Amino acid sequence: MTKSDEEVLRVEDLHKRYGDHAVLRGVSLTLTRGEAKVVMGSSGTGKSTLLRCINHLSPPDAGRVLLEGQPLTPATLNAMRRHIAFVFQDFNLFTHLKVIDNVRLGQRRILKRSKAAATERAMQELERVGLADRAHYYPAQLSGGQQQRASIARALAMDPKVILFDEPTSALDPELTGEVVTVMKQLASEGMTMLVVSHEVGFARTAADEIVFMDGGTIVEQGPPSTLFANPAHERTRAFLKVITHQESA
Ligand SMILES: Nc1ncnc2c1ncn2[C@@H]1O[C@H](COP(=O)(O)OP(=O)(O)O)[C@@H](O)[C@H]1O
Ligand SMILES: [Mg+2]
C-alpha cells in the first residue's frame, strides 16, 4: 500500500455484450501506481469479462482502456499488452514445460531477453515466491498453490506495470490459499499495482486500498475496505458481504 497519485490504469465506460446479454454496462475505474484494488461480486456479474476487456483478450464493444495515459488500440495493443500481466484462476502454465521454462518463455519471446538474462530473472522471481527449489519440476509435480505461485513469478518476470488477478485462489484447496495470499500481500506491500478479482476477505481487508463491488455488469459501490466492510451503502453489497464474511468465520 504505497499508493501514489500517478495514474497507471484508467478504464473508461467499458461495455461488452455477448449476443443479447449485456455483460458490462459501463464500467469505469482507475488504478494509481502502487494501488491494490479488489473487485468483488457474485458469480456471472462480469468480473472476468472486465479483466479480459482491460487487456483486450476480449475486445470491449465500447469504452477505453488507458495505460499511463496511452489508449490501447488495435495498433498499440501488442506493444502495450506486455505491460499488463494476467494471473488466471487455473494457473495457465504450460504443462509440457518445466517451471523455469514457463517463467522464461515470455521473457525470451516477447521481451527478447538472452537465455542467461531470462534464467537469472526467472530464478529471482521464483525465489521471491518461495519456489527456487522447484524450478526444474513440471507443473503436474507441484501443488495447486505452488503452480499459482509459479504463474505469479512468470507474471513478475515480465516487469508489468499492472497485474490483473482473476480469482487466483478459487481453484485451490482451502489449505493452499494461504501461501498464495501471502505472496500477493507481499507484492501489494512492495508497491505492485494490482487489480484483483477475489473474495479472499483476509487479503481484501489487509492489502487492498479499495474494494470495488460489482453487480449485473456495473460498479455498485467502491471504497476503502474499512468503510465497505463495516458500512456498505447498498443492500446488494451488504447481502454479498454477509455471505463471504460468514464463509471466512466458518
Ligand atoms: N465468451 C463468452 N460468450 C458468451 N457469454 C459469455 C462469455 N464470457 C462470459 N459470458 C457471460 O457473461 C456473464 C459474465 O461472465 P463473467 O465475466 O465470467 O462473470 P464473473 O467472472 O463475474 O463470474 C456470464 O453470464 C457469462 O455466461
Ligand atoms: Mg470470473
Side-chain angles (χ1 to χ4, degrees):
M1 286 190 277
T2 46
K3 219 178 122 164
S4 79
D5 290 337
E6 204 183 333
E7 187 180 287
V8 175
L9 183 73
R10 167 177 288 268
V11 172
E12 285 179 356
D13 201 25
L14 280 192
H15 288 258
K16 179 73 181 179
R17 62 166 56 243
Y18 291 109
D20 57 7
H21 183 185
V23 177
L24 296 182
R25 297 185 297 132
V27 175
S28 302
L29 56 84
T30 59
L31 280 177
T32 57
R33 193 163 321 279
E35 186 174 18
K37 205 163 253 196
V38 169
V39 180
M40 295 186 163
S42 314
S43 178
T45 217
K47 305 179 301 294
S48 295
T49 303
L50 171 63
L51 296 191
R52 295 171 60 85
C53 282
I54 288 175
N55 78 347
H56 287 48
L57 270 174
S58 311
D61 299 331
R64 294 201 307 169
V65 177
L66 297 94
L67 190 69
E68 294 180 338
Q70 294 262 91
L72 271 74
T73 65
T76 63
L77 191 56
N78 280 339
M80 290 177 71
R81 191 143 60 182
R82 73 172 60 169
H83 302 298
I84 306 176
F86 211 117
V87 173
F88 299 88
Q89 181 173 349
D90 56 359
F91 328 130
N92 254 32
L93 294 169
F94 287 108
T95 55
H96 65 291
L97 294 179
K98 290 176 179 174
V99 166
I100 181 122
D101 292 317
N102 269 282
V103 181
R104 275 193 296 223
L105 189 67
Q107 299 188 68
R108 299 277 287 138
R109 293 231 177 121
I110 299 168
L111 304 184
K112 310 291 183 201
R113 285 188 184 141
S114 70
K115 187 163 185 186
T119 302
E120 188 183 342
R121 185 58 187 275
M123 288 310 299
Q124 278 170 6
E125 298 305 346
L126 287 170
E127 183 83 44
R128 191 169 172 188
V129 302
L131 281 182
D133 61 340
R134 295 290 185 274
H136 293 280
Y137 286 54
Y138 285 94
Q141 297 172 303
L142 303 183
S143 72
Q146 290 171 329
Q147 290 184 59
Q148 192 57 297
R149 285 187 282 140
S151 94
I152 293 171
R154 175 178 61 180
L156 292 168
M158 298 299 286
D159 288 323
K161 295 182 195 296
V162 56
I163 307 183
L164 312 177
F165 292 82
D166 193 2
E167 303 210 37
T169 60
S170 64
L172 301 177
D173 292 334
E175 71 269 25
L176 300 178
T177 61
E179 62 192 66
V180 172
V181 169
T182 299
V183 166
M184 292 172 61
K185 282 184 181 168
Q186 180 194 323
L187 296 181
S189 72
E190 288 167 5
M192 179 56 70
T193 310
M194 328 171 32
L195 184 62
V196 183
V197 173
S198 173
H199 298 153
E200 283 295 325
V201 177
F203 178 81
R205 278 193 207 279
T206 60
D209 296 290
E210 269 210 352
I211 312 289
V212 172
F213 180 71
M214 277 182 73
D215 193 49
T218 58
I219 293 176
V220 175
E221 181 166 1
Q222 57 187 318
S226 52
T227 313
L228 207 96
F229 282 111
N231 228 338
H234 288 267
E235 179 50 39
R236 282 178 291 180
T237 318
R238 266 198 292 278
F240 180 79
L241 290 175
K242 209 164 154 184
V243 174
I244 62 165
T245 52
H246 178 73
Q247 283 167 352
E248 175 197 36
S249 58

